[in-house]
Amino acid sequence: MSYPVLYRKRIIPNECILLKDDRILQCDDNTIVTEWEAIHPRSDLSHGYSCYYLKRGYKISKFYRADSSLMYWYCDIVEYQQGPEENSIVTLDLLADVVIYPDGKIRILDLDELAEAFEQKLIDEKQLKTALHSLGNLMDAIYENSISTLEAPIIKALR
């Protein structure tokens, strides 16, 4: 099986980036696990791992500092689309995010941006509903099973 080419598309700001430096560690019909360096390096963010849940509408990432200590898990609510070439995937960021800190604290972010994107017709009603359903399903999975279940494909790919 040849691995797909991955793109990240954002609505705010409007950009689409080829994730040419991300390394795919595992890929099947349900998940893709990648290892990556920060696209825009920051003093606090160095690298990480992501698990694309292709049938669930979210992507779970582990963000690490330069000293390899865990910053947090960052969960993007997304829509997966066919990319511009054969065997490519565009991950459209639907704005809503969940951050889970190592101490267990959880924050839901950017619902205001999601509403703004809908008001400005940057996303349609179907995408708004998809984002809210995926966010609800993600929160249910976090509360029922904890982040450890969601990060399991990452852990498995690193073995």
Side-chain angles (χ1 to χ4, degrees):
M1 172 184 192
S2 68
Y3 291 150
V5 175
L6 301 174
Y7 291 86
R8 180 190 77 189
K9 184 173 183 177
R10 295 174 64 194
I11 297 168
I12 301 173
N14 183 13
E15 67 178 10
C16 187
I17 297 173
L18 170 63
L19 300 175
K20 63 182 176 24
D21 296 325
D22 287 19
R23 190 167 71 96
I24 296 177
L25 303 176
Q26 180 275 325
C27 181
D28 60 38
D29 290 340
N30 297 310
T31 59
I32 299 173
V33 177
T34 63
E35 175 179 40
W36 47 267
E37 302 292 324
I39 294 173
H40 305 291
R42 304 181 334 208
S43 60
D44 62 337
L45 173 61
S46 168
H47 64 283
Y49 302 92
S50 295
C51 182
Y52 297 69
Y53 281 92
L54 300 172
K55 297 178 180 175
R56 296 188 191 178
Y58 46 81
K59 179 180 77 167
I60 309 298
S61 300
K62 289 182 82 169
F63 282 25
Y64 288 92
R65 297 178 186 90
D67 68 1
S68 292
S69 62
L70 177 66
M71 288 176 57
Y72 44 69
W73 292 267
Y74 199 93
C75 310
D76 292 289
I77 301 303
V78 300
E79 177 181 88
Y80 296 106
Q81 303 172 342
Q82 172 61 47
E85 64 257 28
E86 190 175 330
N87 198 26
S88 65
I89 298 171
V90 173
T91 303
L92 175 63
D93 184 346
L94 291 178
L95 301 164
D97 302 304
V98 177
V99 177
I100 305 166
Y101 295 93
D103 67 2
K105 180 180 173 186
I106 298 172
R107 290 187 61 206
I108 298 174
L109 305 174
D110 301 332
L111 293 180
D112 56 336
E113 286 186 6
L114 179 62
E116 180 182 320
F118 179 68
E119 289 169 354
Q120 293 181 12
K121 299 187 183 344
L122 300 174
I123 62 170
D124 59 27
E125 182 178 347
K126 182 176 182 263
Q127 289 172 312
L128 175 64
K129 288 179 180 178
T130 295
L132 293 172
H133 285 296
S134 294
L135 176 61
N137 291 338
L138 172 62
M139 295 307 299
D140 287 346
I142 291 168
Y143 290 135
E144 289 172 18
N145 301 308
S146 82
I147 191 63
S148 61
T149 302
L150 293 171
E151 74 168 341
I154 296 171
I155 304 300
K156 183 178 177 186
L158 293 174
R159 288 191 182 139

